[in-house]
Amino acid sequence: MKTTSLSPNIEPTTNSAGTGHDESIRLFLRKLTMLLTLKNWLMMATLWCFGWGIVALSLRATVATPRKALLFGIVGILVAAVVAVWRASKQLPSHAAVRSLLDRQNESGGLLMTAGEQPLGDWEDKLSAIQLPRLRWRSARAWGLMALSVSFVAICLLLPIKYVSGIAGRSLNVGKEAENIAAQIEMLKESQIVTEAKAEELNDKLDQLVAEAAGEDPAKTWEALDHLANSVEKAAQDAVADAAGKQEQLDKAEALAEGLMAGSDQMDAQLMTEAMQTLSTMMQGAMANNEALASQLSPETQEAIKNGSLNSEQLKEVANALSQSKQKLNQQLSKLNQSGMNRGNINPNSLKGGASANKRDNSGLSKFLKDNAQKMSVADAVGQWCDGNGDKSGNGPGRGGVSRGRGDAAMTWTEGSDEKNAKFQEKALPPGSVAGLQDSQLVGLSASAPEVQKGNLSAHGVLNNAAKGGGSAYTQTVLPKHKNTVQKYFDRK
Amino acid sequence: MIGDGRSFLFRPPTTDHRPPTMQTILQPEEINPAIELANRILTQLDRILLGRADLHRLVLTGILSRGHILLEGLPGVGKTALVKTLGDLLGLQFKRVQFTPDLMPSDILGSHILQGDGDGRRSMEFHAGPVFTNLLLADEINRASPKTQSALLEAMQERSVTLLGVTRQLPDPFFVLASQNPIELEGTYPLPEAQLDRFLFKLNVGGSDVDTLDQIISTRRRGEAPQPEFVVSADELRGLFAVMDRVYLPKPVSRYVSRLVAATHADSPEATDEVKTYVSYGASPRAAIAMAEAARAFALLAGRPTVGFEDVKAVAAPALNHRLVLNYKAKFDGVDAHGLIARLLSQLDETGIKLPRDVEIEK
């Protein structure tokens, strides 16, 4: 065990009579003061260093206080020395107590104690040599703790900021985005746009992504989230396109069925037969793509459709069933549109056979078929009719379209151009700056504004060959979705 | 009270009339004759009674302190011989009373007897009992009834006897050296603690070792002890007492005595855990006075004019062991007063200096 001794060699202190004893006592008290001061200082400095380290660590972790500012803690060690001296003076035994101690140690038999109270006379000679006792301090533990505390302070001050801040272990909060994607997957599953197995697979991917989202590389997480969102939206887009096709198919069949109901007497037998065959083909195709449609038709009607021999009642039943199927499809499209997944902005009302198409008067279709019987097949004629190119009344201007019809035809404004015809279409993006700052990777913190180095200008923008800017204290990481959008804008022709 | 006056001329120190704070301590020329005399007494005791040097020193300490001593030991270990030798050596009148259950106070103190004179008148005449002596050996004191014990103990405390309204002083000096047998307790009346407190010391007289026994039977015919080579005179003895009175007790030592006595009480801040556990009642203030006086005498026997801590430690056990009342737990755990006092002395720092736990002053 490490011990500290202030009197390694006991040497007799020869004293002159009277004041010699007092000098020995003062000498002993001085040594005891030094030892107690050292001991107290070690203890307080140790405590201070531990406290200093904790405070330094906390300040660096929370407000990123610079190391130089934290070095002022060394003043505490000096203060501890002053307090140690004061405390040692309080711990010192009295003069009389030390005298009795020396009496005991020197086996003076009370003479030394008496010397402080009475004149000794001839007995002074017996006290000519006073030996000071050795002070022993088991200091190993104190020195060890001191070394530990100093090491602790050094570690707290020198530890790199990335280990101090605790950012490394922070996970990235993508809960809101994941929630949106999960809601979209659920909607697609409910709408039977994706199968349950596919929906489950997407959900598993989403859960894994949320679990592995970490703060070290937020761009990677966001990229994966974007990819998943694109997959979901792709499925929705495909569903929209498919629904649009079905809608058109149903619209044509409905128009032909209503046309046959209203003007079957205007068509000859041959045209009638061809129209019935065309309707039969359309209906069979529609029923193949839409199981619900078949369930709305009676077996007799389905049989008549196969045979191409529908009577007026069956035509009415077919028209009603087609109308309801169109309505359902329209609702599905509206839901997709509301969910934000219809990136192509296909408005269900703008589709042929949409809400606006329900108002179309198909009573003139029979005449249109008869007039164009020699020019085109029934299927083409129905297509032309549904495109709004037919002369609905047979005499007046057209009721729709911008490329056909007479000049006095009423102008009909449709929705904007669809995705097929537009190279770039404006759309709102989610805010990038705030989210980017919050979720971006932290590479460093400073107490003051960073210095702008004019000689090292940062590249501004994401485009290749872009001119360098004037430097900025604030830069941000552009997320993939934003990159793609900007790239797409500049790529337009 | 017989002095041979052959070699030792001892002049008692003159009384110092200066205030106590200005008095000088005994100077070597004053104390040396007393030390020489005391050592001669001890030498004689050691020569007459073999193998009991420590006991002799403590008994003489008790005598110089003018205290009464209780000797406890088995029969035949030399208690009576010690007291008798001491009486012979000090030139003191010596009487012995064998205490029995039917012993009455008047058998010790004395009584008034109706006597007639030549004129035919009758009067009550006081016949002094054996207590009127310098050195009284109360043999087997615990066999007497409490009534008789208390009569003797009152005389011990007051150093006077009052009968029929007349108070008679006992001879000066007056010492009682009582003995009691720690076995054969049937039919005995153990001294109560209040009466034990009157004794300055309680000394245990143990058996002799092989060498001592061999020396006794080889040099002593029928065990008869030799006669003392000299007898201390009354003046010499008074001179010894006067010197003893001037042995200086420094304040730190008196403080140590006070702390030591206080530490025998369980409620004292300096009481050890053992004291708190095993002691029902601690030592009385009379114990502190006894220790201070005995320490003075011990210092004188050691040849010093001042009392040191070691003197207090030497007399602490005999002065305290019969004054501590231990509880039943101590009896169950086999803790006795001597062991408890020894551990208390080792744990209580004489100087009262309190340093941090890991700082030590090497002894």
Side-chain angles (χ1 to χ4, degrees), chain B residues 113-141:
Chain B
I113 298 172
L114 186 64
Q115 286 191 337
D117 56 11
D119 301 334
R121 288 182 298 179
R122 293 172 182 168
S123 61
M124 297 294 284
E125 190 173 327
F126 178 70
H127 280 250
V131 76
F132 286 86
T133 185
N134 294 117
L135 191 59
L136 176 68
L137 172 59
D139 214 0
E140 295 196 87
I141 190 173

Side-chain angles (χ1 to χ4, degrees), chain A residues 310-347:
Chain A
L310 290 160
N311 56 28
S312 59
E313 289 297 321
Q314 288 170 332
L315 281 173
K316 188 177 180 183
E317 185 185 350
V318 166
N320 287 337
L322 288 168
S323 176
Q324 286 177 16
S325 294
K326 274 172 59 185
Q327 204 66 31
K328 281 183 183 175
L329 269 177
N330 208 36
Q331 287 173 359
Q332 194 179 62
L333 282 169
S334 298
K335 203 183 281 183
L336 285 171
N337 205 37
Q338 287 169 4
S339 70
M341 286 186 289
N342 185 8
R343 291 270 180 107
N345 275 350
I346 298 174
N347 190 339

Side-chain angles (χ1 to χ4, degrees), chain B residues 197-238:
Chain B
D197 201 27
R198 309 281 167 83
F199 287 99
L200 179 84
F201 284 166
K202 178 186 168 190
L203 301 172
N204 290 320
V205 184
S208 302
D209 58 20
V210 174
D211 293 338
T212 304
L213 290 173
D214 184 31
Q215 197 177 357
I216 290 171
I217 59 177
S218 60
T219 59
R220 308 278 167 86
R221 183 66 182 156
R222 284 188 293 277
E224 290 175 355
Q227 289 300 309
E229 293 175 346
F230 76 98
V231 177
V232 180
S233 69
D235 285 343
E236 287 172 331
L237 197 57
R238 274 192 288 273

Side-chain angles (χ1 to χ4, degrees), chain A residues 39 117-118 123 136 138, chain B residues 23 26 248 350 358 360:
Chain A
K39 179 185 179 302
E117 304 169 15
Q118 298 283 340
W123 295 102
R136 193 174 63 180
R138 292 188 297 273
Chain B
Q23 286 180 2
L26 283 165
Y248 189 76
E350 300 95 324
D358 48 357
E360 288 178 356

Side-chain angles (χ1 to χ4, degrees), chain A residues 10 28 32 35-36 39-40 91-94 96-98 100-105 107-114 117-123 133-139 141-142, chain B residues 20-29 31-32 35 248-253 303-311 313 349-363:
Chain A
I10 296 178
F28 179 79
L32 186 59
L35 188 142
L36 290 176
K39 179 185 179 302
N40 290 332
Q91 289 175 320
L92 278 182
S94 67
V98 174
S100 62
L101 170 73
L102 295 182
D103 185 292
R104 184 190 69 186
Q105 296 297 114
E107 297 178 348
S108 301
L111 278 174
L112 188 56
M113 287 184 275
T114 306
E117 304 169 15
Q118 298 283 340
L120 289 184
D122 295 341
W123 295 102
R134 181 183 292 178
L135 287 167
R136 193 174 63 180
W137 171 34
R138 292 188 297 273
S139 58
R141 187 167 171 268
Chain B
T21 53
M22 295 299 291
Q23 286 180 2
T24 54
I25 61 172
L26 283 165
Q27 294 303 300
E29 65 273 13
I31 196 172
N32 284 341
I35 294 168
Y248 189 76
L249 182 70
K251 285 178 183 174
V253 179
R304 281 182 276 105
T306 55
V307 181
F309 295 122
E310 61 270 30
D311 302 318
K313 285 186 167 185
D349 185 72
E350 300 95 324
T351 60
I353 292 176
K354 290 177 182 173
L355 291 176
R357 200 170 41 188
D358 48 357
V359 176
E360 288 178 356
I361 299 168
E362 288 186 350
K363 292 185 178 178

